Amino acid sequence: QVQLVESGGGSVQAGGSLTLSCSVSGYKYSSGYCMGWFRQAPGKEREGVAAIYTGGGDTYGADSVKGRFTISRDNDKNTIYLQMNSLKPEDTAMYYCAAEATAPLYCSGGYFTPADFGSWGQGTQVTVSS
């Protein structure tokens, strides 16, 4: 069973940066998994922010975060990162890491919804003040 543990959330002022980490265990890391970062603000639906395919490293980023957020991986540490720069108040949300075995293009093309992912972490809160 895949287990995911997020860390790195916190409170920052607009324009600041944070790096979220997602420690992954319970599956063969070299296998083709789509590792996604999602967020959910109060009263809003959960939305996909970024994703990376572990098999090849191809990535996806939502339009709302392109140029500001970067997803990456450290295979030796079995960890996925989300580097968030130029943070805005509208980035305030609970951020979740998720995993699912998918085809590469499905992941890197962003052709997924939260319902497609079967394994989730507990979430880490990001709060951006103006």
Side-chain angles (χ1 to χ4, degrees):
Q1 182 178 357
V2 179
Q3 294 182 326
L4 309 167
V5 179
E6 303 98 333
S7 61
S11 297
V12 296
Q13 291 189 329
S17 298
L18 282 174
T19 300
L20 306 183
S21 299
C22 175
S23 179
V24 186
S25 62
Y27 81 105
K28 191 174 181 180
Y29 196 78
S30 60
S31 300
Y33 267 73
C34 185
M35 304 299 302
W37 282 102
F38 295 80
R39 67 185 181 186
Q40 188 167 18
K44 295 188 177 181
E45 293 185 353
R46 191 170 297 189
E47 62 174 350
V49 174
I52 187 167
Y53 186 70
T54 61
D58 293 338
T59 63
Y60 161 80
D63 289 341
S64 58
V65 304
K66 279 184 178 178
R68 301 189 299 123
F69 291 11
T70 302
I71 188 170
S72 63
R73 60 178 180 165
D74 185 328
N75 289 346
D76 291 336
K77 296 182 178 180
N78 281 8
T79 300
I80 304 295
Y81 302 98
L82 186 67
Q83 174 68 44
M84 305 185 295
N85 298 325
S86 302
L87 283 161
K88 304 175 181 180
E90 51 263 44
D91 294 319
T92 295
M94 184 70 78
Y95 283 71
Y96 298 90
C97 179
E100 187 58 57
T102 70
L105 186 58
Y106 182 80
C107 184
S108 62
Y111 304 118
F112 54 80
T113 68
D116 296 324
F117 284 72
S119 300
W120 291 85
Q122 82 287 353
T124 186
Q125 177 68 37
V126 172
T127 302
V128 185
S129 59
S130 58

